[in-house]
Amino acid sequence: MDEKPVIKSRRKGRSQTQSMLIPSEGMVADALRAAPPGRLSDLAELRRALAARHGADACCPVTTQRHLVRISQNGSAPFWRVIDPDRPFARRTAGGPDRIREQLAAER
């Protein structure tokens, strides 16, 4: 994908700063498609990989979660590959934890 990444500097602690990737929905969707099918992958690892790919120290967790909710609603990528159905965030997705479990089982 040839989207230009948005990277912002933010404070980390009292005297340090870090570069924070603000991912686009397309970046998150592409990362979801690359996740192994039928297996629950780590969302934090997905964010670390996105940040590393675009030369940032971290990837914004809030923006990533917002994109995941939208992706679950529009069905543009396999969001169930990174959302643990036993975590509270799963209830915010379209279909909730049951849909996540069903989709993971269907990919096996």
Side-chain angles (χ1 to χ4, degrees):
M1 180 155 257
D2 53 350
E3 291 179 73
K4 185 173 181 192
V6 175
I7 299 176
K8 296 185 177 184
S9 182
R10 71 174 201 132
R11 288 185 65 130
K12 181 179 181 181
R14 294 182 120 176
S15 61
Q16 296 180 332
T17 60
Q18 76 176 155
S19 57
M20 176 75 71
L21 171 69
I22 311 299
S24 69
E25 189 172 324
M27 289 175 189
V28 175
D30 288 345
L32 291 170
R33 288 184 199 101
R39 199 179 96 204
L40 186 62
S41 297
D42 185 31
L43 178 55
E45 181 56 38
L46 177 133
R47 289 183 26 243
R48 279 191 289 276
L50 276 172
R53 185 176 308 134
H54 295 286
D57 297 322
C59 178
C60 181
V62 174
T63 304
T64 303
Q65 285 187 350
R66 286 180 183 157
H67 291 324
L68 286 170
V69 169
R70 253 192 311 275
I71 288 168
S72 78
Q73 293 166 345
N74 65 27
S76 62
F79 67 93
W80 54 86
R81 294 178 181 171
V82 297
I83 299 175
D84 186 343
D86 297 325
R87 305 285 302 176
F89 175 68
R91 292 190 300 259
R92 292 180 48 200
T93 63
D98 292 336
R99 180 176 179 203
I100 293 169
R101 286 185 189 97
E102 290 169 6
Q103 293 291 345
L104 281 171
E107 285 187 336
R108 289 189 184 130

